[in-house]
Amino acid sequence: MSKQKGNIGVTTENIFPIIKKFLYSDHEIFLRELVSNAVDATQKLKTLASMSDFTGELGDLAVRVSLGKKTITISDRGIGLTAEEIDKYINQIAFSGANDFLEKYKNDANAIIGHFGLGFYSAFMVSKKVEIITKSYREGAQAVKWTCDGSPEFTLEEVKKEDRGTDIILYIDDESKEFLEEDRVSSLLKKYCSYLPTPIAFGKKKEWKDGKQVETEEDNIINNTNPLWTRKPSELTDEDYKKFYRDLYPMSDEPLFWIHLNVDYPFHLTGILYFPRVKSNIDLTKNKIQLYSNQVYVTDSVEGIVPDFLTLLHGVIDSPDIPLNVSRSYLQSDSNVKKISAHITKKVSDRLQSIFKNDRKQFEEKWNDLKIFINYGMLTQDDFYEKAQKFALFTDTDDKHYTYEEYKALINDNQTDKDKTLVYLYSSNKNEQYSYIEAATNKGYNVLLLDGQLDVALVSMLEQKFEKSRFTRVDSDIVDNLIVKDEQKADNLASDKQEALSATFKSQLPKIEKVEFSVVTQSLGENSNPVMITQSEYMRRMKEMANIQAGMSFYGEMPDMFNLVLNADHKLIKNVLEDGEKACATEISPINEEMAQVDKRRNELRKEHENKKDEEVPTAEKDELNNLDGKWDELKNKKDSVFAQYATNNKVVRQLIDLALLQNNMLKGEALNNFVKRSIDLI
């Protein structure tokens, strides 16, 4: 045939500007597209040969990528194309509603390529001219050359080509010269083509000779054509799986275990998912799962494709039912992808259940590493919670493990309060909360250790899932108040004595940024500690949730609220109270008398105002009452300052406070140094 010229049959002339402009952010995928096309052509020839539709010699079927000064060439020895096939598959980009489609998807590179098989045209993202030199495998076929400079115009002409197959030659434009660098092309081939089923050759292997690297005669094959996930699990050893993991993640610790996926119906899915060993003090990294389609790398951004909690896993998923070139938004709404996601969740939960059932000892030994995945799954996916609650574990402060049902049975009799609520006591730090744990275990309670990154969110969820249950940290109150079994007795210390103790101790509390203390007095028995620090479960949990959950920053800005609990039954507290009352009696007595007079007059006025509307109360009486309130506050502050002055000279008061702070890891720096010096003086 003579040299033919024509226009590509596209229903809009906007296709090339869109390829250049809107696909530019993903321009590196051109290499994946062209190499994948070459592999497809090669695989088709192998299929024809297996069916005896091609009887020639297959010979070397490697796809070759080579660099020139200004060109990249992708060559294969696959089925090739005839002039008619070029006209059908290359020259006709015809689809209905093209203008509307291009407008709709102009910002989504992959959607344009994937929906309409425009993979070949991704070549124009980096090229000012593209040539196709091809010869069909069919007997007597004529080789042809197709040329296009990135406009709708093309030329098609007959040429000489000895061998079947296709060479695609890209003349790289000035903006894309990076793709003429050997290292850049090599890295892209490794990223996208490492596991393609046909050998991919990029140059020759190199070896060191006379102090420099020189090329050998051997092809540099960059891919493994038979990766682990394509093989049968029965053929593989544990070492095979571990080696593959090391190949994928060279600097990682050995995985905990793995799941080999192999599904034929209702969709095709293969893959290997690994549970990585996670150190509790590091940030969890997502998107370590690589997604493939027929061994062609698609993405490692799998959020929305696999369930969120499984994005913490590592490994490979391969499914021909996942479109190669579509946007993530398309993937997330694709029905096959949703089925695959649900199936992976089931396989993971079944595998975990199997390990738990068949080797509970091994499961318990790995629980600290596993729990981050399982807890995250239960928090984010209800259907996973339903399965996981059977093998999720609690660990107590004695390092014993229990399923949720086992633990409920363990504590049911002893840890149910007067309102029939089951109370789960827990510690978040065994060392820092040691004395609180000891007090609880001395009462016969069991204490859980919940020190994981997600445990604060987990307990909030479990309180909703478990029937009539609540979780309480052991340092949130004195031990007698953690699980109240009977109506509590009123404190027997008179209010004026409680006020004296409160003023004495409050005056000596340290000033700590974003920390507020309240002083309370309770009768805890003479053998309990004289002073303790507790923190409200609700407020502390809200602050902890603020650190991990958006929209709760209000709580994060609030100060930490602590109670300094004074044991009125303890000898040291009694001594402080008795000494204080004696030392301050002379100054306090007239203040008390004046406060009593103020209080008497306030009560008289309030009684007169009972059953009266606000407008019926004379202004003079309102003013008098306001003045009396102010006077009373003034006297109260004066009285407190007397006890504060006494406390300043009482080393025992500050020592007791510092002991409580020390017990809670809140005594540091200069305050700790002063405590040590004072301890030596007291001894």
Side-chain angles (χ1 to χ4, degrees), residues 11 23 35 98 109 120 131 171 239 241 279 326 448 493 611:
T11 51
L23 306 194
V35 173
F120 163 72
E131 294 176 348
Y171 292 82
E239 186 49 43
Y241 286 108
K279 297 179 178 67
V326 291
L448 294 172
L493 195 64
N611 303 320

Side-chain angles (χ1 to χ4, degrees), residues 180-208:
L180 294 172
E181 296 168 10
E182 184 178 340
D183 288 347
R184 180 76 166 111
V185 173
S186 179
S187 68
L188 289 180
L189 289 172
K190 285 175 183 172
K191 177 178 179 180
Y192 289 113
C193 307
S194 280
Y195 299 108
L196 283 171
T198 295
I200 312 297
F202 180 52
K204 299 294 183 181
K205 281 191 175 179
K206 295 177 180 178
E207 63 181 26
W208 284 98

Side-chain angles (χ1 to χ4, degrees), residues 304-305 321-323 331-332 334-342:
I305 300 166
D321 295 313
I322 295 175
L331 279 171
Q332 290 167 24
D334 183 80
S335 60
N336 269 331
V337 171
K338 288 182 176 177
K339 288 176 191 170
I340 288 169
S341 175

Side-chain angles (χ1 to χ4, degrees), residues 22 64 73 75 256 263 276 351 363 388 417 424 470 482 568 590 647:
F22 296 117
R64 299 180 183 280
T73 302
S75 304
L256 297 168
V263 184
R351 172 77 164 128
F363 191 87
D417 69 10
Y424 291 74
R470 65 182 166 85
L482 291 173

Side-chain angles (χ1 to χ4, degrees), residues 187 192 518 533 670:
S187 68
Y192 289 113
S518 297
I533 291 174
E670 184 182 0

Side-chain angles (χ1 to χ4, degrees), residues 32-45:
R32 177 188 74 179
E33 295 301 316
L34 299 179
V35 173
S36 297
N37 287 350
V39 169
D40 286 344
T42 307
Q43 294 292 93
K44 284 174 184 173
L45 188 72

Side-chain angles (χ1 to χ4, degrees), residues 95-140:
F95 45 88
S96 60
N99 284 311
D100 292 342
F101 173 80
L102 292 171
E103 180 61 32
K104 182 177 179 182
Y105 289 104
K106 66 185 180 184
N107 292 315
D108 195 339
N110 281 330
I112 296 174
I113 288 179
H115 275 69
F116 294 94
L118 302 184
F120 163 72
Y121 278 91
S122 64
F124 287 97
M125 291 189 290
V126 298
S127 307
K128 56 190 174 187
K129 184 172 79 170
V130 177
E131 294 176 348
I132 303 173
I133 301 171
T134 183
K135 184 178 181 182
S136 173
Y137 74 97
R138 300 175 194 278
E139 196 172 333

Side-chain angles (χ1 to χ4, degrees), residues 458-520:
L458 182 74
V459 298
S460 296
M461 180 197 73
L462 293 179
E463 284 176 333
Q464 297 173 33
K465 299 282 189 185
F466 291 175
E467 187 178 347
K468 207 161 186 189
S469 301
R470 65 182 166 85
F471 284 73
T472 301
R473 205 166 84 176
V474 285
D475 60 346
S476 64
D477 210 331
I478 60 170
V479 69
D480 289 335
N481 291 346
L482 291 173
I483 306 173
V484 179
K485 307 250 181 175
D486 306 301
E487 293 300 328
Q488 289 185 296
K489 299 170 186 174
D491 289 325
N492 52 21
L493 195 64
S495 61
D496 62 326
K497 295 183 181 296
Q498 290 189 39
E499 288 175 5
L501 278 173
S502 179
T504 300
F505 278 84
K506 194 165 190 175
S507 69
Q508 300 306 302
L509 283 164
K511 299 289 186 288
I512 303 175
E513 188 179 357
K514 293 192 78 173
V515 171
E516 290 184 10
F517 288 98
S518 297
V519 179
V520 294

